[in-house]
Amino acid sequence: MSSVERDAASVVRHYHERSKHRLEAYAAGPETLDWEAQPAPFRRFEGAAVVSLPLLSELPAESPIARALAAPFDSLGEARPPIAPSLASLGALLQSSLGITAWKSIGPDRWAVRANPSSGNLHPVEAYVLVRGVAGLADALYHYEPERHALELRARGAPPPPGREGPRVDIALTTVMWREAWKYGERAFRYCQLDVGHAMAALRYAAALFGWRLAEQAHVGSATLATALGLDRAADFAAGRRADTEREEPEVLLSLSWEGEDAPLADPEELARFARVASWHGTASLIDARPMYRWPIVTEIAEATRRLEGEARAPASASATSDATGPRRSSGAPRRRAGDVILERRSAQRFDAGHVLDRDLFFELLDAALPRRAAPWDVLAQPPRIDLVLLVHRVSALDSGVYWLNRRSASSEALVARFEERFRPSRAPGAPPQLDLVELMRVDPRQLARVARAVHCHQDIAATSCFAVGMLADVASAVSEAPSAYRDLYREAGVLGQALYLEAESRDLRGTGIGCFFDDPFHELLGLEGHACQSLYHFTVGKPKIDPRVETAPPYAPRPIRLPGALDE
């Protein structure tokens, strides 16, 4: 590790400690919030030509896309004939992963719900699409605008050649970190990376619907990605405004492939050349005209964790997920349509505290969290590093208490030693062979509920669910290899969260991601000391209680029919 990397690793360690919630004080955040002055949840590029994407509701019921959406959710891991890339199928991919799925309202308040969940529903993630050779679309870089379900022409010109005959589609994700920092202050960087992970998994699930693959191009450095997307064009992002509120942070480049092939690796030099020769269009709309606070440490951690050019990373086609865990299990649970599960996913606001989860369904949910060479795990270029600790409240034929799911990640060996030293681990009764589920300690249900509520910032939702999950990783080891691994850890946690969301939804349950928890008290509960094994994200699953006051409206109004690829005024 170079001196620059050592300094960056120090920034990561400092940030992680500083951004922890503690019993005596929460991580630094704003002292007041003016919801009328919330940062804009949607960005547009003013002056850019717009291509309206076909809506799912406009597609014929007998179309291949509609039939793919109607397939059972638990069949997504199976091979299926790929649908040809086109304006319609690309639109279906984006609507099923990043689009609006409903408008909610209660009284005068109205908000959008999207296919990809977000901390506080603030949605820092923006998406760009590099297209070459797709019918109905000019070769160009586009910005996806979910409010209108449209592509904005950002840069005209042929993106880098695919390296083989046929079309190429790359999807890049960025974050507007101010959207999260506005509410969450210094902890915002964590939440942005979780949201990127959720978005990556949402895209991978949607790609699987259409028989496509999606893989991270981890060898592309952050600086190259920023150049290719025009993020370093300061004049296009409200020149003269505060950079920390208006600029976008480059996150990840993902490549689609079909016909059973791996996506050809993106060429960083070609990406940079495209940016130099392309004609650029549009100016980014304003995110926040009058920001009240500054959080310099969010900028510092973003700079410290950017991926360096030439950094040694596994190629996207060699993702280190494993299929050694065996096939997915499926009981007699309802076989819900994949499209319904994806588009109807919601975060539970309250749980039925009396609901008891069937043990076999519980095991199926955990089985779905094991890494495999299938959606959503193969979107990640890096091997798994996260194990799960579970606070089990109400699961039939299973004692309430604390359990550990060994995902055989890079962190597992360290956890084995620590848990064997503190507890007397025993295999959970009835767990299937591929599920390495270990009981660490039994806890009286009422006491466990009190602990769960206290650890999760005194939130009832962690105590009234059927079970809660803490995601643990050996942060110190990962960051010692490369500071950018800090982002990878949170993204893996986000992928895990999205898997739990959809698996729960498919079984008529519901999940909720929990970003607010007291870090070190949770570690102390498990006997974890020092700065190695850290909890990154929490999640909870149960039977939801639906608020009858909340009204639901369709995500998009009917639109006039346009010719494929036509540019709107």
Side-chain angles (χ1 to χ4, degrees):
M1 181 181 288
S2 68
S3 60
V4 172
E5 290 175 310
R6 282 195 297 272
D7 290 344
S10 298
V11 172
V12 173
R13 288 190 292 270
H14 171 68
Y15 170 80
H16 190 75
E17 288 300 309
R18 176 166 170 160
S19 62
K20 286 180 175 180
H21 287 322
R22 293 178 167 81
L23 290 172
E24 61 272 17
Y26 289 95
E31 297 175 359
T32 183
L33 289 176
D34 179 2
W35 285 97
E36 296 298 320
Q38 179 181 345
F42 301 103
R43 165 156 270 171
R44 295 185 178 182
F45 282 88
E46 308 297 343
V50 178
V51 181
S52 291
L53 293 167
L55 293 167
L56 295 176
S57 59
E58 299 170 343
L59 300 175
E62 68 278 6
S63 69
I65 296 173
R67 290 199 300 269
L69 289 164
F73 177 77
D74 60 6
S75 71
L76 282 188
E78 302 170 5
R80 60 184 65 201
I83 293 174
S86 65
L87 186 73
S89 58
L90 183 58
L93 172 83
L94 293 171
Q95 186 176 349
S96 301
S97 56
L98 306 176
I100 296 174
T101 56
W103 284 93
K104 298 285 186 178
S105 62
I106 182 169
D109 298 322
R110 183 173 181 265
W111 65 95
V113 178
R114 304 195 204 178
N116 60 312
S118 173
S119 304
N121 201 35
L122 297 171
H123 288 283
V125 175
E126 296 285 335
Y128 294 80
V129 186
L130 271 163
V131 173
R132 186 185 182 102
V134 173
L137 276 175
D139 292 352
L141 169 70
Y142 299 87
H143 170 253
Y144 177 58
E145 207 283 273
E147 188 176 26
R148 294 178 292 182
H149 188 49
L151 295 176
E152 298 175 306
L153 179 62
R154 184 73 178 101
R156 189 69 177 263
R164 58 173 169 76
E165 294 301 318
R168 174 161 190 157
V169 177
D170 298 285
I171 300 174
L173 301 179
T174 70
T175 53
V176 181
M177 292 191 175
W178 179 248
R179 286 189 182 130
E180 292 290 328
W182 171 81
K183 180 179 181 181
Y184 295 115
E186 293 187 349
R187 208 167 167 96
F189 180 82
R190 296 183 179 212
Y191 299 161
C192 285
Q193 299 311 308
L194 290 172
D195 279 13
V196 171
H198 277 289
M200 291 171 69
L203 282 161
R204 181 62 187 99
Y205 275 117
L209 274 174
F210 308 131
W212 300 346
R213 296 183 182 182
L214 184 73
E216 180 183 5
Q217 301 285 308
H219 62 289
V220 176
S222 299
T224 295
L225 187 57
T227 297
L229 302 179
L231 305 184
D232 55 3
R233 296 173 59 85
D236 293 354
F237 288 85
R241 302 279 185 177
R242 274 178 42 182
D244 57 343
T245 61
E246 298 305 320
R247 296 284 293 278
E248 294 178 27
E249 176 71 17
E251 296 291 355
V252 65
L253 181 67
L254 307 164
S255 295
L256 282 167
S257 60
W258 28 83
E259 303 295 347
E261 300 178 0
D262 289 327
L265 296 180
D267 185 336
E269 292 184 4
E270 287 289 337
L271 285 169
R273 192 183 74 83
F274 162 74
R276 290 195 302 269
V277 301
S279 57
W280 290 85
H281 305 270
T283 302
S285 59
L286 199 62
I287 297 297
D288 192 339
R290 292 178 294 276
M292 294 178 60
Y293 294 91
R294 284 185 181 272
W295 307 109
I297 197 169
V298 174
T299 301
E300 291 173 16
I301 185 63
E303 292 174 350
T305 55
R306 288 172 186 156
R307 189 159 289 160
L308 302 176
E309 300 302 322
E311 194 169 277
R313 317 293 286 187
S317 60
S319 175
T321 55
S322 170
D323 56 4
T325 51
R328 287 282 307 279
R329 304 175 71 244
S330 180
S331 67
R335 290 171 61 85
R336 290 189 59 192
R337 292 157 40 112
D340 293 342
V341 171
I342 287 172
L343 297 174
E344 294 173 9
R345 179 219 61 81
R346 302 287 185 268
S347 294
Q349 303 303 311
R350 292 190 303 159
F351 286 120
D352 177 357
H355 182 75
V356 178
L357 178 63
D358 178 81
R359 188 178 70 172
D360 286 343
L361 285 182
F362 174 66
F363 289 153
E364 287 184 20
L365 288 167
L366 298 188
D367 183 78
L370 298 179
R372 289 176 169 84
R373 289 190 181 276
W377 311 110
D378 56 357
V379 73
L380 297 169
Q382 303 305 312
R385 293 182 181 270
I386 290 177
D387 283 359
L388 305 183
V389 168
L390 302 107
L391 307 182
V392 175
H393 299 295
R394 281 168 291 278
V395 175
S396 65
L398 208 59
D399 290 311
S400 66
V402 181
Y403 292 75
W404 170 45
L405 178 63
N406 182 351
R407 297 178 71 240
R408 297 178 176 83
S409 74
S411 304
S412 299
E413 186 175 345
L415 288 171
V416 167
R418 290 169 181 262
F419 289 158
E420 287 184 345
E421 180 180 342
R422 179 175 176 85
F423 306 105
R424 293 181 178 177
S426 61
R427 184 170 177 79
Q434 74 271 25
L435 207 61
D436 192 358
L437 183 64
V438 175
E439 180 187 284
L440 298 180
M441 59 177 166
R442 297 178 187 179
V443 184
D444 175 81
R446 287 172 294 183
Q447 181 183 356
L448 186 64
R450 289 194 295 270
V451 169
R453 186 180 291 107
V455 165
H456 294 91
C457 301
H458 313 293
Q459 298 178 86
D460 283 340
I461 202 164
T464 55
S465 60
C466 294
F467 67 94
V469 178
M471 304 183 190
L472 288 174
D474 188 344
V475 174
S477 295
V479 172
S480 68
E481 296 175 13
S484 62
Y486 191 60
R487 297 192 191 218
D488 296 332
L489 292 172
Y490 278 99
R491 292 172 187 173
E492 182 185 348
V495 171
L496 267 163
Q498 189 70 3
L500 290 171
Y501 262 126
L502 296 187
E503 293 292 338
E505 193 77 33
S506 73
R507 291 161 173 81
D508 294 325
L509 300 167
R510 194 151 282 178
T512 295
I514 301 179
C516 187
F517 54 89
F518 296 116
D519 301 57
D520 288 338
F522 183 70
H523 302 151
E524 291 166 9
L525 173 69
L526 303 173
L528 300 176
E529 299 175 348
H531 307 291
C533 294
Q534 300 286 294
S535 187
L536 304 177
Y537 187 29
H538 288 219
F539 202 89
T540 190
V541 175
K543 194 72 172 180
K545 281 188 172 182
I546 308 301
D547 189 338
R549 300 173 301 166
V550 178
E551 298 180 356
T552 302
Y556 300 103
R559 299 185 307 204
I561 297 176
R562 294 180 173 84
L563 294 175
L567 295 180
D568 300 337
E569 294 297 330

